[in-house]
Amino acid sequence: SVHTRDEVELPPPAIDNRLTVHPLWPEIDRISTEQIQAAFEGVGGEIGWQLFAEEGDMRMYRREMEVDGMVMDPLKAMHKVRGVSAREMCHYFFNPRYRYEWETTLETMTIVEEISSDAMVFHQTFKRIWPASQRDALFWSHVRADGDTYAVTNHSTTNNDYPANTGACIRLFVTVCLACRTSCPAGERPTRDNITTSIAYCSTVNPGGWAPAGVLRAVYKREYPKFLKRFTSYVQEQCHGKPLAM
Ligand code: 18C
């Protein structure tokens, strides 16, 4: 059969065997399963979730949480995007080839380990926000299909070649899940013109060291909506005119 380069690199519909024999597999499987299950759970009316940004179909909620004076507010965002599939959304979020094109907080990205076609370990440094120290992160990233959902989960890990807090950067800790589901009108064949993908993006960032609470909350209120709008329109542009991959 004939495959384009993009097609063969789309997230696989089943878990890659090379991942299931890797030492990180039990953790990757457990955390991904938990994150995907929680992703579409309602926020409407639930205690503690506050709506802080709304634009079109996008809604962003946070729960104020401080541990020893450090802000660790969990964030949950819901969005709806037309004309791109869940699988395509996850492809662009997972694949490092596109990351500098949509990720505006990034200073550097290094691939630490290519575990399999559906799992990698990344080291990233972020733009510095005055007056705090620059941050970096080391995390695994895993893309999978789970029933009618495609999802990417990112979660902090460790690696002896990338020790924390040895240079200019403070290591932050992150758990992120982008979960997507595609629907089309009953009885119709899915096409770019009739599909809608529902997105749930959940993120918890532990800043890893002192950062002024006011600055931090101001930064994420600005940066999370910017990220989700930019990322979703980036994927729509990339997919425009290409055959739909479901
Ligand atoms: O999920 C996203 N991206 C993925 C691929 O990169 C991956 C990344 C996760 C890291 C998220 C943490 C980013 C921290 C950035 C800090 C500096 C940003 C400065 C930007 C200024 C122009 O999963 C999309 C991620 C969207 C990130 C939105 C910003 C979140 C801010 C959270 C607070 C950070 C605390 C540390 C900094 C202290 C500053 C006072």
Side-chain angles (χ1 to χ4, degrees):
S1 64
V2 181
H3 290 287
T4 67
R5 193 172 150 76
D6 260 6
E7 253 179 290
V8 286
E9 288 179 0
L10 281 161
I15 297 197
D16 190 321
N17 290 329
R18 285 170 295 174
L19 174 55
T20 62
V21 295
H22 190 277
L24 278 171
W25 166 246
E27 179 185 295
I28 291 178
D29 189 38
R30 177 176 55 82
I31 292 175
S32 300
T33 304
E34 284 169 11
Q35 289 292 316
I36 295 165
Q37 276 169 3
F40 283 105
E41 270 168 27
V43 280
E46 271 177 50
I47 301 161
W49 286 105
Q50 268 176 269
L51 183 70
F52 75 91
E54 193 173 6
E55 209 183 305
D57 289 316
M58 184 181 81
R59 295 197 187 0
M60 291 201 165
Y61 306 83
R62 57 149 182 193
R63 239 175 21 220
E64 284 201 12
M65 213 162 99
E66 281 179 36
V67 180
D68 299 327
M70 275 196 298
V71 172
M72 292 185 205
D73 301 356
L75 168 125
K76 188 190 274 254
M78 301 300 221
H79 200 5
K80 279 189 167 61
V81 180
R82 290 170 194 283
V84 297
S85 70
R87 193 177 182 205
E88 289 169 331
M89 287 297 291
C90 288
H91 167 65
Y92 288 98
F93 191 72
F94 174 74
N95 197 312
R97 183 167 10 129
Y98 311 109
R99 194 153 309 157
Y100 284 107
E101 292 175 25
W102 59 264
E103 177 62 280
T104 56
T105 67
L106 210 54
E107 194 150 284
T108 65
M109 176 198 63
T110 309
I111 298 171
V112 172
E113 190 180 353
E114 286 196 67
I115 298 174
S116 50
S117 61
D118 52 2
M120 294 194 167
V121 177
F122 295 103
H123 179 258
Q124 292 187 176
T125 62
F126 302 98
K127 290 176 183 159
R128 178 169 177 247
I129 308 165
W130 186 89
S133 304
Q134 191 182 12
R135 264 39 182 195
D136 71 350
L138 183 78
F139 60 91
W140 54 254
S141 185
H142 169 51
V143 60
R144 69 162 59 167
D146 184 324
D148 61 350
T149 303
Y150 266 98
V152 179
T153 306
N154 295 342
H155 182 75
S156 283
T157 187
T158 55
N159 182 302
N160 291 335
D161 296 334
Y162 294 83
N165 308 326
T166 50
C169 284
I170 295 183
R171 180 69 45 91
L172 60 74
F173 303 94
V174 65
T175 304
V176 160
C177 182
L178 177 86
C180 306
R181 284 178 186 161
T182 300
S183 61
C184 84
E188 289 183 28
R189 196 174 49 85
T191 68
R192 290 240 179 265
D193 297 325
N194 70 7
I195 58 167
T196 300
T197 293
S198 299
I199 297 172
Y201 174 83
C202 304
S203 166
T204 303
V205 178
N206 173 340
W210 181 83
V215 177
L216 203 151
R217 288 199 166 110
V219 169
Y220 80 62
K221 277 187 180 171
R222 185 188 67 216
E223 295 298 325
Y224 280 124
K226 186 173 152 193
F227 145 68
L228 200 57
K229 284 188 284 178
R230 185 182 165 96
F231 174 68
T232 51
S233 53
Y234 172 77
V235 177
Q236 285 177 315
E237 283 161 26
Q238 292 295 307
C239 291
H240 185 79
K242 290 191 185 146
L244 174 65
M246 288 287 286

